[in-house]
Every structure is written in C-alpha cells, then in structure tokens.
Amino acid sequence: MKFKKIFNIFFLFFLAFMISSCSRPTEDNRGYSASMQIKGSDTIVNLVQVWAERFVEKNPSYNIGVTGGGSGTGFAGLINGTCDIAMSSRKIEEKEIVRAAEKDINPVEFMVGLDGLAILIHKDNPVDKLTLEQLRDIFMATITNWKEVGGEDRRIVILSRESNSGTHMFFKEHVLRHNDKKSKEEFAPRALLMPSSHAIYDEVYQNPNALGYVGMGYINDKVKAISVAVNENSEYFYPNVENVMTGKYPISRPLFLYTSCQPSGVVEKFIEYALSDEGQAIVEEVDFVPINQKGK
C-alpha cells in the first residue's frame, strides 16, 4: 500500500509537469519532438522555409510546417497553442505579453537576423530616391502625384500591409510617427491594405503607379527598390546587406523568432540551427543580414 501511495504521488507530479510543459509537439523515441508548427511574419517566411528544408534534410524524421499571415498571427498562434514558434518582424507588444501571461506563457525572444525595409516601385518609374519625410507625406496622402517627387504626372497608388503585420507596425512607428510614442499618425484611408508582402510585390510589378514597402528579400530586377535618406540634406542609401549591417540605411530592423518558454526538443534544435554558422549563411543567401556580421 505504501508503495502504491508513493507511486500515485509520483504519477500526479509527472502528470502536472506534462500539462504545464510548454512543449506542444509529440515526442519521438529519442526524446525530440517529431513535428513542429511555425507561424507569423510574411517578411521572413521564405527564410524560415529554407531553414526548415535544410534542417529536415539533416533530420529526416522531423516534420516542420511553416505558414505566414503576419507577426500578429504568429503571436496569436503562440498564445493559443497552435504553433511552437512565432516568426516576427517586430518585438512582441505589451498587450500580447499580458495575454500570454494570462495563459501562463512567458515568451522567449531570439533575434535571428536584420532586414532593411525596401521601398518598391515599378521598374519603369523614373524616381530613384526619396527622403523619409517624402515617404511619410506619400503614405499619409499629403503627396499624391509622382510629379511632386520628380516623377511623371501620375496618381500615386499607396500599398501597405494589413494592421496585423509587423512590417505595417514598424513602418508606421518608424516612418509615419518618427518613433514618437505620442504620435497618432496613421496611413491615409486610400492606402490599399495588402494581405502579404508578396501581394505588394505583385501589385508593384504590374502597376506603374504603385509604391509599397517590403522586406529586402523581395528585391529583384523585375521591380525597382529606391534609395532612402533621412532628410534632403542627408546621403541616400540603397537597401542592401552592407548598408543595413552598418546602420546607414535608415529603414532597418531586427528579425525574431519567439517561443512560449525556454525551448527544448526539436524547437531548441531548430533555433540552434538558425543561429549557427550554416543558418546565418542562409540568412545572407536569401538577402537578409546575418546577426553575426553586425558591426563588422
């Protein structure tokens, strides 16, 4: 009877530990999770997909799903228990931390790269540079015609990400509000809210009047990325690895992965891979900036 009582107590402690564990996936016979879900930022979804593919090549028994939807979607999934890692192009907000705490979740942050937020226009548009103030005036519809910034007499079509996007939040805080916490400036009502960075890219590619912002990984020769200056008296810098790495490009930001607690199993192994020399080489391979080169 005494042995049975001890066993029952041990079993209850073990059950409580398993329930309180932040590890969501099922475990394989080596103690590592066999599957994992990653959700969030469209900015880095392509990067994380490459990480996942290379990681699974090395660990074929694992299954990793990667989906976008925006940084807010990733944090919601982390809090609701529908994903194991949230991808984000912004830091977690206080209200999200509060919601997580209500469910006994303490998100852990991992900075995995840097990004320059590129301003894309149609490749035939003659404009090749803008200041932050001009961008602010365009996205708030104070400037409405390309001829006001050295282009042709055409109405500017403004493209923005939806409000659940970390890219949307960063651009609003950094460009529209000048990092002023008291500012209430918003995008013009006529701005077209696009569901993904790829949707912005597609619209810019086909619309000669369009202008939008995306992660640097979307730059190619089918569209045009412009140089940006802080103001008209400052030097203009193009969004590339060197200018982001040195801090010269004025619209730069860190990129993150978040877990619901200190990771273990496949979640821990995946993050270790992302931060490894091989993982950081992939960051540069897909046109972002590795964190291990910052300041060099």
Side-chain angles (χ1 to χ4, degrees), residues 165-218:
S165 160
T167 306
H168 171 104
M169 291 298 297
F170 178 83
F171 194 88
K172 180 167 68 176
E173 297 296 332
H174 190 76
V175 178
L176 271 60
R177 297 181 176 179
H178 299 303
N179 294 316
D180 181 358
K181 297 296 183 181
K182 296 181 180 179
S183 175
K184 302 296 182 184
E185 304 289 8
E186 291 288 344
F187 289 92
R190 71 183 188 87
L192 302 179
L193 301 182
M194 311 300 281
S196 68
S197 295
H198 200 278
I200 289 180
Y201 170 87
D202 286 342
E203 184 63 23
V204 167
Y205 171 72
Q206 65 185 357
N207 189 337
N209 304 326
L211 171 146
Y213 54 89
V214 295
M216 203 168 65
Y218 285 88

Side-chain angles (χ1 to χ4, degrees), residues 21 69 101 103 111 119 217 229 256 271 293:
S21 172
K103 297 193 175 185
M111 188 169 76
I119 307 301
F256 303 102
I271 290 174
Q293 290 188 20

Side-chain angles (χ1 to χ4, degrees), residues 70-171:
S71 299
T73 299
F75 287 125
L78 199 68
I79 294 168
N80 296 331
T82 58
C83 73
D84 309 290
I85 296 177
M87 306 176 285
S88 182
S89 55
R90 62 169 171 83
K91 292 184 76 69
I92 189 170
E93 296 179 348
E94 185 62 34
K95 62 183 179 181
E96 291 163 333
I97 294 174
V98 171
R99 287 203 300 268
E102 291 172 352
K103 297 193 175 185
D104 295 323
I105 292 173
N106 298 295
V108 179
E109 175 187 287
F110 299 89
M111 188 169 76
V112 293
L114 301 168
D115 182 29
L117 204 57
I119 307 301
L120 291 193
I121 60 177
H122 193 271
K123 64 183 180 66
D124 295 331
N125 191 325
V127 174
D128 58 12
K129 61 183 182 180
L130 291 169
T131 66
L132 289 180
E133 194 62 32
Q134 287 174 317
L135 286 170
R136 178 181 182 274
D137 289 343
I138 289 171
F139 280 93
M140 294 181 65
T142 303
I143 292 175
T144 59
N145 195 297
W146 280 112
K147 69 180 181 181
E148 297 177 71
V149 290
E152 298 175 351
D153 185 9
R154 296 172 178 268
R155 187 172 185 265
I156 300 173
V157 176
I158 310 167
L159 307 176
S160 172
R161 287 296 313 280
E162 294 176 325
S163 59
N164 71 331
S165 160
T167 306
H168 171 104
M169 291 298 297
F170 178 83
F171 194 88

Side-chain angles (χ1 to χ4, degrees), residues 257-269:
L257 296 180
Y258 282 84
T259 59
S260 59
C261 68
Q262 284 297 334
S264 60
V266 68
V267 177
E268 181 181 24
K269 289 186 70 176

